[in-house]
Amino acid sequence: QLVAYEVKRMKAEEGNKQKILRHIKELAEKLYKNENPYPAVAMHKVQKPSEGCHLRLHQKPFPRLDEGTVQWIIDQATAKLQTAPPAVKAEKKCMVPSGPPIAAILERNGNALANSARRLEVVRNCISYVFENKMLEAKKLFPAVLRAMKGRAARHCLTQELHLHVQQNRAVLDHQQFDFIIRMMNCCLQDCTAMDEHGIAAALLPLVTAFCRKLSPGITQFAYSCVQEHV
């Protein structure tokens, strides 16, 4: 609905903080009402007896409660609750028009898309530098690569690039290369969510059993030994 109806209003509000805040407040109220459709039930307050009431004359003793009657009332109420329909708000379905063409929205997101492409380029360049043994260049890009791993696209890009290098029979690494690749994999898995389990994490599985380094003649360490603690 926002995309369909509010784009003109948003453009008109750009630069006016008070109008934007008012708009956000209205949205917040709508969202809150949507999540909390039922108002809080007011609790019945039992009045306290007034001071000195026990000194009054003609005070009736509290009647003795009949156990059978009380149980009957409880049973009646329970039966009513069981037959009562569930208190669920009926969903109103409505048609929402498509709104302005997607190009209008893409103009605003142009910078974000350019940033995303730059991040992926940084990831690709860094991996290339690692495999070409240009460690100084890789070191300069490394902090940016670790930051990029927060994004799903960059994590996907990492698995694709590493897969290409495995296909080129470049899976046996020296110590410094191994360290760089392990740190990237760890960072990638650390930022994975449950949604990535069958995508990113699954794509890394064959890679961690391929990349390795020679510790000494006859002894090889594979990448999985360094990343297997992740959930």
Side-chain angles (χ1 to χ4, degrees):
Q1 283 176 331
L2 276 177
V3 171
Y5 301 126
E6 307 285 330
V7 171
K8 282 182 186 172
R9 181 178 169 181
M10 284 176 176
K11 280 185 177 171
E13 285 174 357
E14 272 173 12
N16 188 332
K17 280 188 181 177
Q18 283 182 321
K19 278 186 179 176
I20 292 170
L21 282 172
R22 197 184 316 136
H23 192 183
I24 290 170
K25 201 172 180 185
E26 285 170 19
L27 272 178
E29 279 172 11
K30 278 184 194 171
L31 289 169
Y32 183 80
K33 279 176 186 169
N34 188 54
E35 294 297 316
N36 304 278
Y38 306 108
V41 180
M43 298 299 289
H44 296 293
K45 289 183 180 176
V46 179
Q47 289 184 329
K48 286 184 178 178
S50 58
E51 285 179 31
C53 68
H54 60 286
L55 302 171
R56 284 193 204 137
L57 298 170
H58 312 300
Q59 196 171 7
K60 287 182 182 177
F62 191 81
R64 183 173 177 80
L65 296 177
D66 176 41
E67 196 178 330
T69 309
V70 171
Q71 190 58 51
W72 179 80
I73 292 167
I74 290 171
D75 293 342
Q76 290 282 98
T78 310
K80 265 187 194 171
L81 280 175
Q82 283 171 349
T83 55
V88 177
K89 193 180 178 184
E91 276 189 37
K92 286 181 186 173
K93 292 180 179 176
C94 62
M95 289 294 290
V96 177
S98 59
I102 203 81
I105 297 159
L106 285 178
E107 278 171 27
R108 306 186 65 173
N109 294 344
N111 288 344
L113 290 171
N115 282 343
S116 179
R118 263 201 302 276
R119 282 195 200 112
L120 299 189
E121 196 57 39
V122 166
V123 173
R124 287 193 192 101
N125 288 344
C126 187
I127 292 170
S128 295
Y129 290 146
V130 169
F131 283 97
E132 288 161 16
N133 259 323
K134 295 178 180 174
M135 290 307 172
L136 202 62
E137 281 90 339
K139 222 170 210 171
K140 286 176 192 168
L141 293 182
F142 204 64
V145 170
L146 296 188
R147 278 198 302 276
M149 285 301 139
K150 298 270 177 220
R152 198 156 190 264
R155 298 199 289 271
H156 189 61
C157 175
L158 175 78
T159 60
Q160 284 180 319
E161 288 297 306
L162 293 179
H163 184 68
L164 288 175
H165 287 288
V166 168
Q167 285 179 324
Q168 294 164 11
N169 290 330
R170 298 168 79 179
V172 181
L173 311 171
D174 68 25
H175 294 304
Q176 212 172 359
Q177 288 173 322
F178 189 80
D179 184 49
F180 269 95
I181 297 302
I182 289 299
R183 283 170 70 189
M184 283 186 205
M185 285 178 168
N186 268 322
C187 191
C188 175
L189 285 167
Q190 182 182 313
D191 290 314
C192 276
T193 62
M195 283 169 65
D196 297 323
E197 188 176 332
H198 304 293
I200 311 292
L204 275 177
L205 271 178
L207 299 173
V208 296
T209 57
F211 285 109
C212 61
R213 63 173 167 179
K214 301 279 184 203
L215 293 178
S216 64
I219 295 177
T220 306
Q221 181 187 15
F222 284 90
Y224 68 80
S225 62
C226 303
V227 300
Q228 60 192 8
E229 298 304 314
H230 294 276
V231 180

